Amino acid sequence: MTTLRVNPSQTLETQGMTGLGTVHYNLLEPALIEAAIRRGEGRLGQGGTLLVSTGKFTGRSPKDKFIVRTPSVEANIWWDNNKAMAPDAFDRLHADMLEHMKGGEYFVQDLYGGADPAHRLDVRVVSELAWHNLFIRHLLRRPAAEELAGFVPEFTIINCPTFRADPERHGCRTDTVIAMNFDKKLILIANTEYAGENKKSVFTLLNYILPGKGVMAMHCSANHATGNPEDAAVFFGLSGTGKTTLSADPGRTLIGDDEHGWSESGIFNFEGGCYAKTINLREEAEPQIYATTRTFGTVIENMVYDPDTLVLDFDDDSLTANTRCAYPLDQIANASATGLAGHPKNIVMLTCDAFGVLPPIARLTPAQAMYHFLSGFTSKVAGTERGVTEPEPTFSTCFGAPFMPRRPEVYGKLLQEKIHQHGATCWLVNTGWTGGAYGTGSRMPIRSTRALLTAALDGTLNSAEFRRDPNFGFEVPVTCAGVADILLDPRRTWADVEAYDRQAAKLVQMFADNFAQYVPYIDDDVKAAAIS
Ligand SMILES: Nc1ncnc2c1ncn2[C@@H]1O[C@H](COP(=O)(O)OP(=O)(O)O)[C@@H](O)[C@H]1O
Ligand SMILES: C=C(OP(=O)(O)O)C(=O)O
Ligand SMILES: [Mn+2]
C-alpha cells in the first residue's frame, strides 16, 4: 500500500525551485531522524530523542526580521514595529537563495497552521536541515496521509541556514534574514539555525491574516477544565513568562502552549506541538514537560549532555539559557485531540516583573485588562533574543510585539469586543520576582503560581477577600489556599519597604509614559483605567 506523499501538481519545481538534488516530501518522524543523523546534524538521545545544537544563533533575531513593503499591505502594517524590505531586494534575495539551493538535499513538510478548518492556513516548509523539518512537523498540525495528495500550499517558507544574505544587495541588516512577502506568499529565512524562527514566522503570518477576518490572534497558551472544553482559559505572555509551563497542568486539558486564535466559535490552537524551555527543568515542578525529554522524536535543542551516557544536564547554560525541547502535543497525556475549545472564561496575562513590584495575581476589570494588554509590561528573558543575557524590563504590546504586524489597537479592539461579548474574567499574574528585584529577590515559586491559577480558574479565588492595590488600582486577593499570605503582598516581601515604594513609583511612571502612545486610540473607560 502506498499513499501519495505530495500533490503532483505542487512539487517544488512547480514553485520555481529547480535543479535541486534529492527532495524528500513529507517524511515521517523516523525517516527524518534517520536523515538528520546520516547528515551529521545531531545524535540520537535517550528514549529516541534527537539532540541538536544550533551554533551561533540560539534565540530569535528580531532585528533581522522584515516585511516586504508592497501596496497591498502598506496601509495595514505597523511600520514603527516592523522593518520594511523593498520588493526588488526581496526578489534578489529569493533568486540568490534558489541559486544557492541547486544540487542540495531538501526536506518538505505540508502542514496546517490552525486547528479550525474554517481559519487554517496551509503552509509548506522547505528545510535545508532534516531536523528543522522534524521540528516544524512536531510544531504545526499534521494533515492525515490521505490529505497530502490534494494539499495546495498557500504560504511557503524556505529556510536555508547555510545561505548568507548580503545587506547591500538584499536590503537587510546582516547576513541573517527573515523576510516575509505577503503578496508572493513566501517567507525566506537565512543564516540562523534557531528552530523557533520557523514557528514564529507562521505565527506572524496568522497575526496578519486572521484579524483581517475578524479573528483575534493571540500570543498565549490555552487549556480547559478536564471534560469541559467550554471552561477554557488563555495565558498571554512574552517568551519565558510561563505560557508553556503553566498551561501544562495535570488537572486540566492542554490545548496549546503558544499561539491561538479566537473566532466566533471559540478558541483554536494554531499549532500541533509545544516548544518548552528546559533550563533548570525539574521533574517535580514540571513532570509532563520533563517526561518529553526522553520520549521518541522529541527534538532537544542546545542542551549539554554526557557524550557517553547521553544524560542531559538541565542546569548547563553554557550553550544558551534558551535550551529547548520540541514535541508533538500527543506526547502530553492530557492534551486536547482537537485543539479546539469554547470562548475562554478566564483570560490570564502573564508578566515576568524583574522589579519585584507586581503582586503574584490581580483581578482586572475589562478596562484594566485592555490597559495591561496594550502595555504588555514584562521582561525579555535571558537567551530568548540575541543579546539578552539577563531579564530586561520591557513593554511588549499584546505580550508579543515582535510578532505583531498590525497596530496594537487592532488586536486590542478585537480582544476588548470578545471580552465584553463573552464576559471573561481577567487576571494579571506575575511569574517574575518577589522579595526584591532581580538580583536581590527570587523568582516566584512555580507551585505558588500554580496554586493561584488553580483557584482563579476553578472560581474559588473569586470569593476571597480582595484589597485594592494603591499603585495600580487592581484588586489583589488577601489569601489563597496553598500560598503564604505574605507572598500576596509584594511590599511585605521586601526587606526595605521604602525601597519597594520607590521602585513601585518608578514602575507606575514607566507605565504612564509608555501608555501615552495608545491614548489617541482607546475608549474612555480604558483611559480612566490608565494610571497617571
Ligand atoms: N512562577 C513561575 N511560573 C512560570 N514559570 C516559572 C516560574 N518560576 C520559574 N519559571 C521558569 O520560567 C520559565 C518559563 O518558561 P516558559 O513556560 O517556556 O515560557 P513561555 O512559554 O511563555 O515562553 C520556565 O523555565 C520555568 O521553569
Ligand atoms: C519560540 C519562542 O516562543 P516562547 O518562548 O514564547 O515559547 C520564542 O520566543 O523564540
Ligand atoms: Mn512557550
Side-chain angles (χ1 to χ4, degrees):
M1 186 187 75
T2 53
T3 329
L4 215 50
R5 301 294 301 173
V6 65
N7 183 341
S9 71
Q10 299 291 329
T11 60
L12 293 192
E13 283 80 5
T14 68
Q15 294 183 289
M17 283 172 261
T18 54
L20 306 186
T22 309
V23 178
H24 307 272
Y25 289 98
N26 294 303
L27 291 185
L28 298 176
E29 293 78 1
L32 286 169
I33 293 174
E34 281 179 348
I37 291 167
R38 164 176 58 79
R39 291 164 46 91
E41 295 175 8
R43 281 190 68 175
L44 196 62
Q46 282 196 352
T49 57
L50 183 67
L51 307 169
V52 295
S53 57
T54 63
K56 190 170 146 200
F57 292 79
T58 56
R60 283 178 292 102
S61 304
K63 295 190 180 110
D64 294 309
K65 194 167 164 184
F66 294 82
I67 294 180
V68 180
R69 191 167 202 144
T70 55
S72 69
V73 300
E74 171 84 47
N76 300 327
I77 304 289
W78 179 25
W79 291 112
D80 292 340
N81 183 59
N82 292 275
K83 292 193 165 61
M85 178 180 276
D88 60 327
F90 180 88
D91 291 346
R92 282 192 295 275
L93 176 66
H94 186 200
D96 291 352
M97 227 163 136
L98 294 187
E99 200 49 44
H100 173 86
M101 289 166 73
K102 290 201 190 301
E105 183 180 24
Y106 282 85
F107 299 85
V108 179
Q109 289 289 324
D110 291 331
L111 299 161
Y112 301 140
D116 182 346
H119 300 297
R120 78 167 190 231
L121 186 70
D122 295 1
V123 191
R124 168 170 284 178
V125 183
V126 181
S127 317
E128 183 178 30
L129 292 170
W131 81 263
H132 269 183
N133 217 231
L134 176 65
F135 169 88
I136 202 65
R137 181 170 171 79
H138 285 342
L139 263 292
L140 293 186
R141 298 195 72 88
R142 298 159 285 280
E146 60 275 13
E147 293 173 313
L148 289 174
F151 188 99
V152 179
E154 197 179 340
F155 265 87
T156 299
I157 300 177
I158 307 176
N159 190 333
C160 223
T162 61
F163 181 79
R164 305 267 176 279
D166 173 356
E168 292 271 297
R169 198 174 145 69
H170 303 131
C172 45
R173 190 185 70 105
T174 66
D175 45 10
T176 296
V177 69
I178 300 113
M180 308 203 155
N181 190 323
F182 287 99
D183 280 14
K184 301 216 158 155
K185 302 193 168 206
L186 191 58
I187 300 181
L188 304 175
I189 306 178
N191 193 39
T192 166
E193 288 185 34
Y194 176 62
E197 300 287 9
N198 292 288
K199 63 163 263 156
K200 288 299 205 212
S201 289
V202 177
F203 183 48
T204 309
L205 275 182
L206 287 166
N207 282 341
Y208 182 74
I209 295 167
L210 294 180
K213 304 199 281 175
V215 176
M216 173 65 181
M218 309 181 286
H219 192 215
C220 71
S221 59
N223 62 21
H224 66 72
T226 308
N228 185 9
E230 295 308 310
D231 186 355
V234 299
F235 308 81
F236 283 97
L238 193 66
S239 186
T241 54
K243 294 184 299 298
T244 303
T245 300
L246 299 168
S247 57
D249 173 346
R252 292 174 66 89
T253 299
L254 175 65
I255 304 168
D257 81 326
D258 199 44
E259 313 172 1
H260 293 80
W262 187 354
S263 75
E264 61 297 336
S265 26
I267 57 170
F268 60 99
N269 194 355
F270 293 168
E271 300 187 293
C274 303
Y275 191 31
K277 290 189 183 61
T278 55
I279 197 72
N280 305 323
L281 181 66
R282 289 290 176 273
E283 186 169 17
E284 310 74 71
E286 301 177 62
Q288 297 176 300
I289 295 172
Y290 184 85
T292 70
T293 62
R294 48 187 67 203
T295 34
F296 176 76
T298 296
V299 175
I300 297 182
E301 202 175 326
N302 293 321
M303 282 189 75
V304 173
Y305 56 89
D306 183 303
D308 297 323
T309 63
L310 302 175
V311 169
L312 300 167
D313 184 342
F314 287 87
D315 300 335
D316 192 327
D317 63 357
S318 57
L319 293 178
T320 174
N322 193 27
T323 54
R324 297 264 184 172
C325 66
Y327 47 90
L329 268 157
D330 51 28
Q331 280 198 23
I332 299 272
N334 59 327
S336 160
T338 62
L340 306 170
H343 301 289
K345 289 210 176 342
N346 286 281
I347 294 178
V348 180
M349 298 180 191
L350 302 172
T351 172
C352 178
D353 173 17
F355 294 132
V357 165
L358 295 173
I361 195 164
R363 190 168 59 189
L364 307 175
T365 65
Q368 286 169 340
M370 204 37 49
Y371 179 77
H372 284 280
F373 181 71
L374 289 174
S375 297
F377 171 71
T378 188
S379 301
K380 289 184 184 174
V381 170
T384 53
E385 287 185 10
R386 296 211 81 209
V388 177
T389 52
E390 55 178 50
E392 198 176 279
T394 184
F395 289 91
S396 189
T397 189
C398 314
F399 298 100
F403 322 111
M404 301 299 156
R406 294 178 183 263
R407 286 207 46 98
E409 63 274 9
V410 172
Y411 306 98
K413 286 255 168 350
L414 271 169
L415 183 64
Q416 189 177 27
E417 275 166 31
K418 293 197 180 290
I419 290 174
H420 281 300
Q421 202 180 340
H422 302 289
T425 306
C426 302
W427 308 89
L428 185 71
V429 166
N430 175 16
T431 63
W433 270 259
T434 180
Y438 170 75
T440 332
S442 53
R443 186 95 189 247
M444 199 69 71
I446 296 182
R447 62 176 184 285
S448 308
T449 307
R450 279 199 198 281
L452 289 163
L453 283 172
T454 301
L457 303 188
D458 72 16
T460 51
L461 194 61
N462 270 320
S463 46
E465 185 193 332
F466 282 80
R467 66 177 174 90
R468 190 170 175 278
D469 184 276
N471 297 303
F472 291 90
F474 42 49
E475 293 179 299
V476 181
V478 175
T479 54
C480 175
V483 183
D485 288 355
I486 185 174
L487 209 62
L488 290 164
D489 186 355
R491 188 171 187 265
R492 284 169 58 203
T493 67
W494 281 49
D496 178 350
V497 292
E498 276 155 22
Y500 175 88
D501 292 339
R502 280 194 301 276
Q503 190 60 71
K506 261 195 225 165
L507 184 57
V508 166
Q509 192 56 49
M510 286 170 70
F511 264 87
D513 293 346
N514 173 68
F515 202 76
Q517 63 185 303
Y518 303 118
V519 169
Y521 303 100
I522 56 161
D523 298 342
D524 287 344
D525 63 336
V526 182
K527 275 184 202 145
I531 38 183
S532 53

